[in-house]
Amino acid sequence: MSKKNKGRTDGLVYSTNQDYYNDFEEGPAGETLPKEKQKLRVKLDTKQRAGKVVTLVEGFIGTTEDLEALGKQLKTKCGTGGSAKDGLIIIQGDYKEKILGWLKDWGYSLTK
């Protein structure tokens, strides 16, 4: 294999065949771990946010829908904005202690 094609397996760059990529099977949808087995970590962050403080909740293992639902619950309780994606919930502002308390009350016992 030449240096130019390093990392490519079949040399295909572009195909006009619409069915070419449809033959790949998607993996099974991930299941959400029970609340008592979730190891969530709550911390504050200011990096790359122009000095603004955000509260991060990381370590969620489960479906995107469940992650977004938990993020929505937390945003509603805090009365602020935020987002949920890639196993990470971002809440605008310093709500670390409140979020820790709520998560433990909701059954996330391994939260730190």
Side-chain angles (χ1 to χ4, degrees):
M1 182 182 292
S2 69
K3 289 182 181 180
K4 198 181 261 188
N5 289 333
K6 188 175 182 181
R8 293 187 185 153
T9 57
D10 63 357
L12 179 71
V13 176
Y14 179 78
S15 175
T16 57
N17 182 357
Q18 294 178 354
D19 297 326
Y20 182 77
Y21 295 104
N22 293 338
D23 61 352
F24 296 110
E25 292 184 27
E26 293 183 18
E31 289 188 17
T32 303
L33 285 178
K35 292 179 180 182
E36 57 275 359
K37 292 186 179 182
Q38 293 277 0
K39 294 182 181 179
L40 301 179
R41 299 295 173 254
V42 181
K43 63 182 185 178
L44 297 177
D45 187 34
T46 58
K47 294 181 182 173
Q48 300 175 350
R49 303 181 198 286
K52 306 281 185 190
V53 177
V54 295
T55 305
L56 301 177
V57 180
E58 17 180 66
F60 185 86
I61 299 172
T63 63
T64 305
E65 292 82 20
D66 291 338
L67 175 70
E68 289 173 356
L70 179 60
K72 185 173 181 174
Q73 266 186 311
L74 290 173
K75 290 187 295 184
T76 302
K77 283 292 252 186
C78 294
T80 187
S83 65
K85 58 185 170 190
D86 301 328
L88 180 69
I89 299 171
I90 302 171
I91 304 293
Q92 297 172 354
D94 182 356
Y95 294 98
K96 181 178 178 181
E97 297 303 320
K98 289 182 179 182
I99 289 175
L100 274 171
W102 290 325
L103 289 173
K104 288 186 179 189
D105 289 346
W106 294 340
Y108 293 93
S109 57
L110 298 177
T111 302
K112 291 183 181 178

